[in-house]
Amino acid sequence: MEKRFVPVMITPFNLKAKIDFDMVERLIDFYLAAGVRGFFANCLSSEMYSISEDERLELTAHIVRYVNGRVPVVATGSFGLTIEDKAEFSKKIYDTGIDAVVLITGHFANVDDGDDVLLKRFDKMFSLTPNIPMGTYECPAPYKRILSADVFKTLLSTGRLKYHKDTSIEPDKVKEKLQIANVPGFDFFDAHTPNAMYSLQMGARGMSSISGNFYPEALVWMCNNANDPGKQEDVKWLQSELTRVDPLIHQAYPMSAKYFLQLRGLPVRTISRAYVQELTPAQKDVLKGIYDSFTQWCSRLNITPVDTRAIMEPKILPDPAI
């Protein structure tokens, strides 16, 4: 089974802190040139809690139009105070043309609510959104609600889920869920980069982590080679490198990703609605060091980094007179 890397898309902003849709397109070009096999739009990395409902819909619709069916696109839909509100917004965002609506597990129960409450609300959500493919995501915000294996199995048994983004972190818990997730048409993605090699070898469909906003080529390489018996030495080496730098790229995220993309030649402004402080000189130096490491990974593994100069070349539009 083909393994897929699916980035959690960042949102570029212009100098007025409005969505920069031209740069959104350049980022999509960059991701696709790196070999990604899908997109998670309107997610935490997209600063979904810092943009309006209209912006969530406009951004997702723009991404769907530009991707134009080349790879699947999923997006978060569980916004609103009530289950009815969440269902209504899910219908709106599904109408943008995405392949599945992602539901944040922490949106369906308070931190002190039992699993019975969560399951009851998911059941109501499913009943209000018939025929819409759904996914789940154990998003860190508003709080991380990890699905137990039993709850995960119950939700899968409804037949409504097509997608799951897991943040269990502990390999044993990921393995337990993967044993349940062996269902035709269901995609299980691990969000934790330090798990990449292990999850892919245990049967995960792919990875969907923030590291794809820094060096997607490396994650694509891992997805393509984690199960290759002849490349296990390199697989283990790359995994150790990804694990080493992972805590560092989380600092000041998503600003860290936007600055890193600048180092790679993409003029993504370091403007964020979710992280309002400027990066410190020390933080920039750390990211420059990780960029140097990335170039070393590419050299050892024969990875060709995306040519961002080509990505930024002006588009040649067809002559309407022809």
Side-chain angles (χ1 to χ4, degrees), residues 217-233:
E217 301 96 328
L219 276 298
V220 169
W221 188 95
M222 179 62 78
C223 286
N224 291 341
N225 294 284
N227 290 291
D228 187 335
K231 294 186 178 180
Q232 288 308 295
E233 182 179 348

Side-chain angles (χ1 to χ4, degrees), residues 62-63 82 86 107 155 163 166 170 183 211 237 255 274 317:
H62 191 92
I63 291 167
T82 67
K86 299 181 198 305
H107 287 177
L155 290 173
Y163 174 101
D166 196 84
E170 297 178 25
V183 177
S211 49
W237 175 81
M255 285 280 276
L317 300 176

Side-chain angles (χ1 to χ4, degrees), residues 41-101:
N42 190 42
C43 57
L44 191 60
S45 290
S46 311
E47 306 183 46
M48 64 182 181
Y49 290 118
S50 302
I51 60 178
S52 68
E53 177 175 315
D54 287 343
E55 286 175 316
R56 293 168 187 155
L57 293 170
E58 184 180 12
L59 175 62
T60 304
H62 191 92
I63 291 167
V64 169
R65 284 195 300 271
Y66 192 76
V67 171
N68 194 28
R70 286 175 284 181
V71 296
V73 179
V74 301
T76 307
S78 54
F79 289 98
L81 293 176
T82 67
I83 300 299
E84 288 81 4
D85 292 337
K86 299 181 198 305
E88 186 61 27
F89 184 77
S90 291
K91 293 174 184 177
K92 290 179 181 178
I93 204 162
Y94 184 62
D95 285 343
T96 65
I98 58 175
D99 293 88
V101 174

Side-chain angles (χ1 to χ4, degrees), residues 113-189:
D113 286 332
D115 287 337
D116 57 331
V117 173
L118 181 137
L119 288 171
K120 182 178 180 180
R121 291 175 180 167
F122 264 108
D123 185 61
K124 184 174 183 180
M125 182 70 175
F126 292 154
S127 70
L128 293 173
T129 55
N131 304 317
I132 295 180
M134 294 289 189
T136 47
Y137 171 28
E138 298 164 338
C139 184
Y143 76 98
K144 186 187 287 192
R145 181 86 183 203
I146 300 295
L147 302 177
S148 68
D150 288 341
V151 169
F152 184 57
K153 185 175 183 179
T154 299
L155 290 173
L156 267 179
S157 70
T158 66
R160 291 298 306 278
L161 297 184
K162 306 296 182 184
Y163 174 101
H164 175 70
K165 182 178 174 182
D166 196 84
T167 62
S168 297
I169 295 181
E170 297 178 25
D172 288 346
K173 292 184 178 180
V174 177
K175 182 178 181 180
E176 189 176 14
K177 286 184 186 173
L178 280 169
Q179 291 172 339
I180 298 168
N182 188 22
V183 177
F186 181 77
D187 290 340
F188 184 106
F189 294 89

Side-chain angles (χ1 to χ4, degrees), residues 246-296:
D246 197 63
L248 303 175
I249 66 173
H250 279 76
Q251 296 176 21
Y253 184 78
M255 285 280 276
S256 56
K258 294 180 180 184
Y259 180 73
F260 196 90
L261 290 172
Q262 287 185 7
L263 296 176
R264 299 205 54 185
L266 289 174
V268 180
R269 293 182 176 88
T270 48
I271 297 174
S272 168
R273 296 188 193 174
Y275 188 89
V276 296
Q277 296 178 332
E278 289 288 333
L279 295 176
T280 66
Q283 289 171 327
K284 291 180 179 180
D285 286 343
V286 167
L287 292 168
K288 289 175 183 176
I290 296 173
Y291 177 76
D292 290 341
S293 293
F294 167 64
T295 61
Q296 293 169 18

